[in-house]
Amino acid sequence: MSKKLLLKDAHIEGIRYFETYRKQGGYTAAEKALKMTPDEILEEVKASGLRGRGGAGFPTGMKWSFLAKPEGVPRHLVVNADESEPGTFKDRYLMEFLPHLLIEGMLISSYCLGSNVSYIYIRGEYSWIPDILEEAIEEAKAAGFLGKNIMGTGFDCEIYVQRGGGAYICGEETALLESLEGKRGNPRLKPPFPAVKGLWERPTVVNNVESIAAIVPIIDITGAEYAKIGVGRSTGTKLISACGNINRPGVYEIDMTITVEEFIYSDEYCGGIANGKKLKACIPGGSSVPIVPANLLLRTVNGEPRYMNYESLADGGFATGTMMGSGGFIVLDEDQCIVEHTMTLARFYNHESCGQCTPCREGTGWMYKILKKIEKGEGKMEDIDLLWDIQRKIEGNTICPLGDAAAWPVAAAIRHFRDEFEWHIKNPELSQTQNYGLANY
Ligand code: SF4
């Protein structure tokens, strides 16, 4: 059984409220942190090996150490709660059921970074969560854990919640900052990076909800102890939101030492494939990461078991591996059609492109149109190569990672499931009445 750090108290009734959270030991990590110096906290975060839980997996301690500290210029912490990646809903769970864990993590992080005004930028569609967060902020303030001179330390901290307008692109950190400043959420060219010029051109750290919540157990048990959980550079625990054709969809906390097979088939987690079907493929890190067929999902190309961690999931690179990404674990059974599935994702990315870069703006539209044509049985064999060519021209040639995120699912689908694309082209009548999965398994 995986060790629980973030969700250990999630089952306790009323844990959403300050009184219950405090009774369970809540805010003791903050009390401990406020007696430390900011540099000591930073050293703990570095020692923990925590990697950003939003998708990129960049070491959090290193990110914090890049924060510029010019004299007299305010700094900010911004929590990225714009969780819009298809298949990902673990931050929603944290904010809905454990809002004080996030607030406590923000207090510690804000103190470490020197942010007196911090923000939570939350996805617009999570319409009921801001009220929960704002209530938690008020409770923390009433108890002296936010506001002026917190716990007599002389440190002031306010937290504000800002609702997004429903654009996926605002999950990209610079688009988020633009939106937070009241502008259209277009990604910025980097450099300068937010650590130097972020919110209102001030040094800013943007971190995911889960990353900031993880600061609480890191301070609680120490960075060194946190680093002992997990394996290699995949330290600590990770939240996974599991969905698709499984028996037990939900949010699970894993310690990154379990195998993918165990995660899918164990009753502790996904509980196996729904309706007794066979596993066909999986996207383990949210819709942007490459899809992997069952044989490569359960074992690496070397025949080693594949583990639920950053290194093992990526084993083999993009040709055979995938990524931990945001932890949005989407399972597809034998009945699913990869072409239809890829087309649905292509439509999403085309819709969400902000339109600033030509390869993304035009390329995502072309990919969607071609996939739609193939899925309807109106494609030609050359269309598969055309699709491949378009995704190659998008990847690495755009301002922000949305271009890559749109290209990778298409590349992986062609690489691993070319026969399905060809089946749609060779069987136009069948293609219009049933999908490849139902027709071929
Ligand atoms: Fe906008 Fe796409 Fe360019 Fe990102 S890659 S800036 S979403 S056009």
Side-chain angles (χ1 to χ4, degrees):
M1 180 177 280
S2 287
K3 190 171 177 64
K4 302 263 183 295
L5 294 178
L6 300 178
L7 303 186
K8 65 180 170 51
D9 295 329
H11 62 285
I12 294 172
E13 202 182 331
I15 195 70
R16 174 196 288 186
Y17 302 105
F18 179 85
E19 204 183 323
T20 312
Y21 182 75
R22 185 76 170 136
K23 270 191 199 145
Q24 295 303 316
Y27 288 97
T28 50
E31 287 172 322
K32 182 177 171 184
L34 289 170
K35 289 183 189 131
M36 297 163 70
T37 65
D39 282 347
E40 285 169 343
I41 296 173
L42 179 59
E43 287 311 311
E44 291 297 328
V45 177
K46 281 185 182 167
S48 74
L50 175 69
R51 293 166 70 172
R53 303 304 199 214
F58 191 80
T60 305
M62 195 183 294
K63 187 175 194 176
W64 287 14
S65 66
F66 293 155
L67 186 69
K69 294 179 178 161
E71 197 65 31
V73 180
R75 305 187 282 274
H76 296 290
L77 167 69
V78 176
V79 169
N80 185 347
D82 192 64
E83 185 179 51
S84 311
E85 181 82 358
T88 312
F89 46 91
K90 44 98 185 169
D91 292 340
R92 183 189 78 195
Y93 187 90
L94 267 182
M95 292 186 286
E96 184 167 1
F97 297 104
L98 294 155
H100 280 287
L101 187 67
L102 175 61
I103 304 303
E104 185 177 4
M106 286 184 74
L107 168 58
I108 299 168
S109 308
S110 299
Y111 172 69
C112 176
L113 298 165
S115 167
N116 300 116
V117 182
S118 300
Y119 297 88
I120 304 170
Y121 183 95
I122 185 163
R123 177 181 183 189
E125 290 90 336
Y126 287 174
S127 55
W128 69 103
I129 309 272
D131 288 347
I132 294 172
L133 292 171
E134 276 163 358
E135 189 179 0
I137 289 166
E138 285 311 311
E139 284 184 319
K141 214 168 176 172
F145 285 106
L146 286 177
K148 298 262 178 230
N149 191 23
I150 297 166
M151 310 309 289
T153 57
F155 176 65
D156 304 338
C157 185
E158 298 289 346
I159 294 177
Y160 297 102
V161 181
Q162 175 64 46
R163 294 162 168 85
Y168 170 77
I169 194 57
C170 289
E172 195 280 332
E173 61 177 4
T174 59
L176 184 156
L177 295 175
E178 288 284 297
S179 177
L180 196 50
E181 290 179 8
K183 295 180 262 181
R184 182 188 159 106
N186 280 356
R188 298 174 183 168
L189 272 170
K190 293 190 262 192
F193 291 92
V196 178
K197 277 192 178 181
L199 191 63
W200 297 299
E201 302 205 342
R202 297 167 179 171
T204 303
V205 163
V206 183
N207 267 141
N208 170 261
V209 169
E210 184 187 346
S211 310
I212 294 299
I215 300 300
V216 176
I218 287 170
I219 295 302
D220 203 16
I221 64 174
T222 75
E225 286 302 310
Y226 185 89
K228 287 181 190 163
I229 303 164
V231 59
R233 291 178 58 233
S234 297
T235 61
T237 63
K238 174 85 190 83
L239 296 185
I240 305 287
S241 56
C243 61
N245 305 121
I246 48 174
N247 285 317
R248 286 167 40 83
V251 176
Y252 299 101
E253 185 170 12
I254 61 163
D255 65 15
M256 297 195 268
T257 59
I258 63 168
T259 63
V260 173
E261 190 163 7
E262 186 183 350
F263 185 69
I264 294 176
Y265 290 101
S266 160
D267 285 340
E268 193 187 335
Y269 305 107
C270 302
I273 308 302
N275 304 313
K277 298 281 179 180
K278 282 190 284 188
L279 171 68
K280 180 173 187 178
C282 173
I283 306 172
S287 64
S288 304
V289 310
I291 190 169
V292 196
N295 60 329
L296 286 170
L297 182 69
L298 303 183
R299 306 213 153 257
T300 68
V301 274
N302 298 322
E304 296 289 319
R306 209 179 271 281
Y307 291 92
M308 294 285 290
N309 63 48
Y310 291 94
E311 286 72 33
S312 187
L313 284 170
D315 189 279
F318 284 173
T320 51
T322 180
M323 291 164 79
M324 176 69 100
S326 59
F329 198 86
I330 308 167
V331 178
L332 284 78
D333 74 16
E334 58 191 297
D335 290 347
Q336 304 309 317
C337 174
I338 300 296
V339 176
E340 186 184 1
H341 173 80
T342 311
M343 179 193 75
T344 306
L345 292 184
R347 182 175 54 204
F348 171 79
Y349 289 112
N350 178 228
H351 183 257
E352 298 297 338
S353 167
C354 82
Q356 282 192 105
C357 334
T358 308
C360 174
R361 183 187 62 240
E362 302 301 326
T364 53
W366 276 104
M367 290 198 299
Y368 171 52
K369 278 181 206 152
I370 296 166
L371 282 160
K372 194 164 147 189
K373 208 168 88 169
I374 296 174
E375 202 273 332
K376 282 170 75 182
E378 295 168 1
K380 301 189 191 90
M381 280 300 171
E382 337 41 301
D383 287 335
I384 303 175
D385 293 333
L386 182 58
L387 257 183
W388 183 264
D389 193 42
I390 295 171
Q391 66 79 23
R392 285 286 302 273
K393 289 193 164 74
I394 298 173
E395 186 190 4
N397 292 315
T398 56
I399 293 173
C400 90
L402 189 143
D404 296 344
W408 292 339
V410 174
I414 296 174
R415 184 179 291 122
H416 296 303
F417 298 96
R418 195 177 180 106
D419 55 338
E420 296 206 20
F421 288 81
E422 292 177 356
W423 178 87
H424 277 273
I425 293 163
K426 286 181 196 158
N427 300 282
E429 300 82 19
L430 288 177
S431 183
Q432 290 182 20
T433 53
Q434 55 185 300
N435 75 42
Y436 177 90
L438 288 169
N440 286 277
Y441 283 87

PDB file of all heavy atoms in Angstrom, residues 270-287:
ATOM      1  N   CYS A 270      -7.217   1.220  -9.630  1.00  0.00           N
ATOM      2  CA  CYS A 270      -8.228   1.223 -10.710  1.00  0.00           C
ATOM      3  C   CYS A 270      -9.141  -0.002 -10.709  1.00  0.00           C
ATOM      4  O   CYS A 270     -10.206   0.025 -11.338  1.00  0.00           O
ATOM      5  CB  CYS A 270      -7.548   1.342 -12.071  1.00  0.00           C
ATOM      6  SG  CYS A 270      -6.521   2.805 -12.253  1.00  0.00           S
ATOM      7  N   GLY A 271      -8.738  -1.087 -10.098  1.00  0.00           N
ATOM      8  CA  GLY A 271      -9.610  -2.261 -10.003  1.00  0.00           C
ATOM      9  C   GLY A 271      -9.820  -3.011 -11.303  1.00  0.00           C
ATOM     10  O   GLY A 271     -10.812  -3.733 -11.462  1.00  0.00           O
ATOM     11  N   GLY A 272      -8.948  -2.840 -12.259  1.00  0.00           N
ATOM     12  CA  GLY A 272      -9.059  -3.589 -13.529  1.00  0.00           C
ATOM     13  C   GLY A 272      -9.904  -2.874 -14.559  1.00  0.00           C
ATOM     14  O   GLY A 272     -10.498  -1.824 -14.312  1.00  0.00           O
ATOM     15  N   ILE A 273      -9.933  -3.477 -15.755  1.00  0.00           N
ATOM     16  CA  ILE A 273     -10.667  -2.889 -16.876  1.00  0.00           C
ATOM     17  C   ILE A 273     -12.164  -3.182 -16.722  1.00  0.00           C
ATOM     18  O   ILE A 273     -12.552  -4.297 -16.375  1.00  0.00           O
ATOM     19  CB  ILE A 273     -10.151  -3.463 -18.221  1.00  0.00           C
ATOM     20  CG1 ILE A 273      -8.619  -3.331 -18.300  1.00  0.00           C
ATOM     21  CG2 ILE A 273     -10.816  -2.760 -19.407  1.00  0.00           C
ATOM     22  CD1 ILE A 273      -8.074  -1.925 -18.177  1.00  0.00           C
ATOM     23  N   ALA A 274     -12.980  -2.179 -16.974  1.00  0.00           N
ATOM     24  CA  ALA A 274     -14.435  -2.323 -16.791  1.00  0.00           C
ATOM     25  C   ALA A 274     -15.011  -3.372 -17.735  1.00  0.00           C
ATOM     26  O   ALA A 274     -14.504  -3.580 -18.847  1.00  0.00           O
ATOM     27  CB  ALA A 274     -15.105  -0.972 -17.016  1.00  0.00           C
ATOM     28  N   ASN A 275     -16.054  -4.026 -17.289  1.00  0.00           N
ATOM     29  CA  ASN A 275     -16.815  -5.004 -18.082  1.00  0.00           C
ATOM     30  C   ASN A 275     -15.970  -6.179 -18.573  1.00  0.00           C
ATOM     31  O   ASN A 275     -16.274  -6.772 -19.609  1.00  0.00           O
ATOM     32  CB  ASN A 275     -17.486  -4.323 -19.291  1.00  0.00           C
ATOM     33  CG  ASN A 275     -18.366  -3.163 -18.853  1.00  0.00           C
ATOM     34  OD1 ASN A 275     -19.151  -3.311 -17.911  1.00  0.00           O
ATOM     35  ND2 ASN A 275     -18.212  -2.017 -19.480  1.00  0.00           N
ATOM     36  N   GLY A 276     -14.920  -6.489 -17.860  1.00  0.00           N
ATOM     37  CA  GLY A 276     -14.088  -7.639 -18.214  1.00  0.00           C
ATOM     38  C   GLY A 276     -13.364  -7.500 -19.542  1.00  0.00           C
ATOM     39  O   GLY A 276     -12.900  -8.495 -20.113  1.00  0.00           O
ATOM     40  N   LYS A 277     -13.247  -6.310 -20.042  1.00  0.00           N
ATOM     41  CA  LYS A 277     -12.576  -6.093 -21.340  1.00  0.00           C
ATOM     42  C   LYS A 277     -11.059  -6.142 -21.187  1.00  0.00           C
ATOM     43  O   LYS A 277     -10.533  -6.139 -20.082  1.00  0.00           O
ATOM     44  CB  LYS A 277     -12.977  -4.723 -21.901  1.00  0.00           C
ATOM     45  CG  LYS A 277     -14.457  -4.578 -22.193  1.00  0.00           C
ATOM     46  CD  LYS A 277     -14.795  -5.235 -23.489  1.00  0.00           C
ATOM     47  CE  LYS A 277     -16.288  -5.108 -23.778  1.00  0.00           C
ATOM     48  NZ  LYS A 277     -16.649  -5.743 -25.023  1.00  0.00           N
ATOM     49  N   LYS A 278     -10.390  -6.117 -22.347  1.00  0.00           N
ATOM     50  CA  LYS A 278      -8.928  -6.120 -22.324  1.00  0.00           C
ATOM     51  C   LYS A 278      -8.392  -4.689 -22.406  1.00  0.00           C
ATOM     52  O   LYS A 278      -9.013  -3.815 -23.022  1.00  0.00           O
ATOM     53  CB  LYS A 278      -8.393  -6.911 -23.523  1.00  0.00           C
ATOM     54  CG  LYS A 278      -8.482  -8.426 -23.327  1.00  0.00           C
ATOM     55  CD  LYS A 278      -7.730  -9.166 -24.414  1.00  0.00           C
ATOM     56  CE  LYS A 278      -8.500  -9.176 -25.704  1.00  0.00           C
ATOM     57  NZ  LYS A 278      -8.023  -9.962 -26.781  1.00  0.00           N
ATOM     58  N   LEU A 279      -7.227  -4.503 -21.822  1.00  0.00           N
ATOM     59  CA  LEU A 279      -6.558  -3.195 -21.894  1.00  0.00           C
ATOM     60  C   LEU A 279      -5.994  -2.998 -23.300  1.00  0.00           C
ATOM     61  O   LEU A 279      -5.330  -3.891 -23.834  1.00  0.00           O
ATOM     62  CB  LEU A 279      -5.419  -3.166 -20.866  1.00  0.00           C
ATOM     63  CG  LEU A 279      -4.464  -1.969 -20.913  1.00  0.00           C
ATOM     64  CD1 LEU A 279      -5.186  -0.691 -20.485  1.00  0.00           C
ATOM     65  CD2 LEU A 279      -3.265  -2.210 -19.992  1.00  0.00           C
ATOM     66  N   LYS A 280      -6.269  -1.838 -23.876  1.00  0.00           N
ATOM     67  CA  LYS A 280      -5.725  -1.570 -25.207  1.00  0.00           C
ATOM     68  C   LYS A 280      -4.571  -0.556 -25.152  1.00  0.00           C
ATOM     69  O   LYS A 280      -3.526  -0.756 -25.760  1.00  0.00           O
ATOM     70  CB  LYS A 280      -6.823  -1.021 -26.114  1.00  0.00           C
ATOM     71  CG  LYS A 280      -6.332  -0.708 -27.519  1.00  0.00           C
ATOM     72  CD  LYS A 280      -7.501  -0.337 -28.411  1.00  0.00           C
ATOM     73  CE  LYS A 280      -7.078  -0.182 -29.852  1.00  0.00           C
ATOM     74  NZ  LYS A 280      -8.216   0.122 -30.712  1.00  0.00           N
ATOM     75  N   ALA A 281      -4.781   0.519 -24.427  1.00  0.00           N
ATOM     76  CA  ALA A 281      -3.773   1.589 -24.391  1.00  0.00           C
ATOM     77  C   ALA A 281      -4.058   2.490 -23.204  1.00  0.00           C
ATOM     78  O   ALA A 281      -5.101   2.381 -22.554  1.00  0.00           O
ATOM     79  CB  ALA A 281      -3.811   2.393 -25.678  1.00  0.00           C
ATOM     80  N   CYS A 282      -3.131   3.381 -22.969  1.00  0.00           N
ATOM     81  CA  CYS A 282      -3.312   4.317 -21.855  1.00  0.00           C
ATOM     82  C   CYS A 282      -2.545   5.604 -22.129  1.00  0.00           C
ATOM     83  O   CYS A 282      -1.510   5.602 -22.784  1.00  0.00           O
ATOM     84  CB  CYS A 282      -2.790   3.653 -20.578  1.00  0.00           C
ATOM     85  SG  CYS A 282      -2.762   4.737 -19.162  1.00  0.00           S
ATOM     86  N   ILE A 283      -3.105   6.684 -21.638  1.00  0.00           N
ATOM     87  CA  ILE A 283      -2.402   7.972 -21.642  1.00  0.00           C
ATOM     88  C   ILE A 283      -2.182   8.290 -20.167  1.00  0.00           C
ATOM     89  O   ILE A 283      -3.115   8.675 -19.469  1.00  0.00           O
ATOM     90  CB  ILE A 283      -3.257   9.068 -22.308  1.00  0.00           C
ATOM     91  CG1 ILE A 283      -3.677   8.619 -23.704  1.00  0.00           C
ATOM     92  CG2 ILE A 283      -2.490  10.388 -22.357  1.00  0.00           C
ATOM     93  CD1 ILE A 283      -4.666   9.552 -24.354  1.00  0.00           C
ATOM     94  N   PRO A 284      -0.955   8.118 -19.670  1.00  0.00           N
ATOM     95  CA  PRO A 284      -0.795   8.188 -18.214  1.00  0.00           C
ATOM     96  C   PRO A 284      -0.658   9.575 -17.603  1.00  0.00           C
ATOM     97  O   PRO A 284      -0.740   9.717 -16.388  1.00  0.00           O
ATOM     98  CB  PRO A 284       0.490   7.379 -17.973  1.00  0.00           C
ATOM     99  CG  PRO A 284       1.234   7.452 -19.241  1.00  0.00           C
ATOM    100  CD  PRO A 284       0.257   7.681 -20.350  1.00  0.00           C
ATOM    101  N   GLY A 285      -0.455  10.606 -18.434  1.00  0.00           N
ATOM    102  CA  GLY A 285      -0.152  11.898 -17.813  1.00  0.00           C
ATOM    103  C   GLY A 285      -0.985  13.066 -18.309  1.00  0.00           C
ATOM    104  O   GLY A 285      -0.489  14.181 -18.408  1.00  0.00           O
ATOM    105  N   GLY A 286      -2.265  12.817 -18.638  1.00  0.00           N
ATOM    106  CA  GLY A 286      -3.077  13.882 -19.221  1.00  0.00           C
ATOM    107  C   GLY A 286      -2.980  13.820 -20.737  1.00  0.00           C
ATOM    108  O   GLY A 286      -2.026  13.262 -21.288  1.00  0.00           O
ATOM    109  N   SER A 287      -3.942  14.424 -21.414  1.00  0.00           N
ATOM    110  CA  SER A 287      -4.106  14.204 -22.857  1.00  0.00           C
ATOM    111  C   SER A 287      -2.906  14.627 -23.704  1.00  0.00           C
ATOM    112  O   SER A 287      -2.767  14.194 -24.836  1.00  0.00           O
ATOM    113  CB  SER A 287      -5.347  14.947 -23.350  1.00  0.00           C
ATOM    114  OG  SER A 287      -5.161  16.340 -23.196  1.00  0.00           O
TER     115      SER A 287
END
